[in-house]
Amino acid sequence: MARSSSSGEGSFIWETIKTIFWALVIAGVFRSLFFQPFWIPSGSMKDTLLVGDFLFVNKMSYGYSYASCPNIKIRRFGIDLDARDICGFLDNDNTRLLGSEPERGDVAVFRHPVTGEDYIKRVIGLPGDKIQMIDSVLHINGEAVKMEPAGMFIETYAPQGPQGRLPRCFNGAVIGAGGECEKERYLETLPNGLTHSILNIGYSSAADDTGVFEVPEGEYFMMGDNRDNSTDSRFARSRDGVGFVPYENLIGRADRVVFSSGGRSLLFFWDWRKDRFLEPIT
């Protein structure tokens, strides 16, 4: 006897559900163990990373902790799972499986210690270091890092990315929409010899002249390369500040920009930055 059409349709639907389920499981395992996609939403790491850069975070670089598990948020279905809800058994001891420590100068993604959001900054201070900003110059263990002027970083004064934020500018008081937004650019060399660019917009007493931060054991001091437009470890741990970042909150290292779009949507191909495809992150 031939099967009814309803039976065939039910079998097809069930097979489709199973296929989607296992695809999601495989994607989740890959994302948790190997590489996590990350889209740059703000300008705190300019000009190393621009709004609209897309990259994969290497989770194998520092080993695994609760933060290696993804946050799963699907508001349409009321799903709001934090990494701790999934991998809480790995939490609260500040250790990692197959762990290795970040190096000074790494560009790392980590979980904000209070909000649980994913942040990306540069590792500046290691456990035991003393970090201070004096007149806009970074000091590590009492020594000023080497800084060299590197011209101006120029971008268009216009809304950036899906959030449509306007960039902050050194010359902000004299430009209008579509004008050239300028920032002072410097090359900063860390004690281990790594040289990277930083930007300066203007003087801020809270960010450019600070007390001495003594980095506790098992924690790290993070800073954005866009020094005057970065919420980082210079600001006390809270919903608005990062403070010191525990070892277990690290997610992975960012090594290369895969793709970049300067527009409000990924589909706006005329805004793609082709010169940044597969660009190494230093």
Side-chain angles (χ1 to χ4, degrees):
M1 181 181 293
R3 291 184 178 180
S4 66
S5 59
S6 60
S7 175
E9 290 175 2
S11 177
F12 172 77
I13 293 173
W14 176 240
E15 289 300 321
T16 301
I17 292 173
K18 288 196 297 183
T19 299
I20 294 173
F21 171 79
W22 285 114
L24 291 174
V25 168
I26 293 170
V29 170
F30 182 85
R31 189 177 187 273
S32 297
L33 295 182
F34 303 111
F35 296 97
Q36 174 179 321
F38 192 85
W39 191 273
I40 303 299
S42 71
S44 68
M45 281 295 294
K46 290 178 182 175
D47 64 335
T48 303
L49 296 171
L50 305 181
V51 177
D53 281 352
F54 179 80
L55 48 91
F56 282 100
V57 179
N58 182 354
K59 289 191 169 185
M60 296 175 285
S61 54
Y62 306 137
Y64 304 96
S65 71
Y66 88 92
S68 303
C69 288
N71 292 327
I72 302 177
K73 300 180 185 294
I74 308 177
R75 292 184 176 87
R76 178 180 298 180
F77 299 106
I79 298 175
D80 186 1
L81 293 176
D82 184 80
R84 284 187 171 91
D85 297 327
I86 303 171
C87 293
F89 64 94
L90 294 174
D91 191 16
N92 295 325
D93 59 0
N94 204 27
T95 60
R96 307 182 72 87
L97 299 175
L98 305 176
S100 61
E101 297 183 1
E103 297 183 7
R104 195 190 312 276
D106 282 0
V107 176
V109 174
F110 59 91
R111 294 258 195 265
H112 188 289
V114 175
T115 68
E117 296 178 272
D118 292 351
Y119 273 46
I120 185 166
K121 307 289 181 186
R122 191 178 295 276
V123 179
I124 295 296
L126 305 177
D129 282 343
K130 294 181 179 181
I131 307 295
Q132 185 176 21
M133 294 293 294
I134 302 176
D135 195 21
S136 303
V137 178
L138 173 65
H139 288 64
I140 300 178
N141 296 324
E143 297 290 333
V145 301
K146 180 181 178 182
M147 285 180 60
E148 300 176 81
M152 301 294 289
F153 172 72
I154 299 175
E155 58 186 339
T156 303
Y157 187 69
Q160 296 183 345
Q163 298 177 353
R165 293 178 179 174
L166 290 168
R168 293 182 59 200
C169 315
F170 185 81
N171 60 331
V174 296
I175 61 172
E180 289 189 344
C181 173
E182 299 178 350
K183 298 177 179 64
E184 294 179 329
R185 184 172 182 265
Y186 296 88
L187 294 180
E188 180 179 84
T189 301
L190 299 175
N192 60 353
L194 177 72
T195 298
H196 63 99
S197 66
I198 61 170
L199 300 182
N200 176 62
I201 300 172
Y203 178 77
S204 165
S205 58
D208 292 327
D209 273 301
T210 72
V212 177
F213 299 94
E214 296 189 27
V215 186
E217 287 301 314
E219 302 194 5
Y220 297 86
F221 193 93
M222 307 290 197
M223 292 181 69
D225 291 347
N226 192 359
R227 291 286 164 80
D228 297 320
N229 192 35
S230 175
T231 301
D232 51 40
S233 294
R234 291 172 290 179
F235 305 96
R237 185 182 298 178
S238 65
R239 294 194 66 84
D240 298 320
V242 171
F244 300 119
V245 176
Y247 182 43
E248 67 179 355
N249 281 46
L250 298 175
I251 295 174
R253 187 181 63 228
D255 295 324
R256 188 178 296 271
V257 174
V258 177
F259 176 85
S260 184
S261 174
R264 297 292 299 273
S265 171
L266 177 65
L267 301 178
F268 295 172
F269 63 87
W270 52 88
D271 289 319
W272 291 355
R273 305 184 185 107
K274 297 181 177 62
D275 61 324
R276 294 187 64 78
F277 288 16
L278 302 179
E279 180 78 9
I281 296 172
T282 58

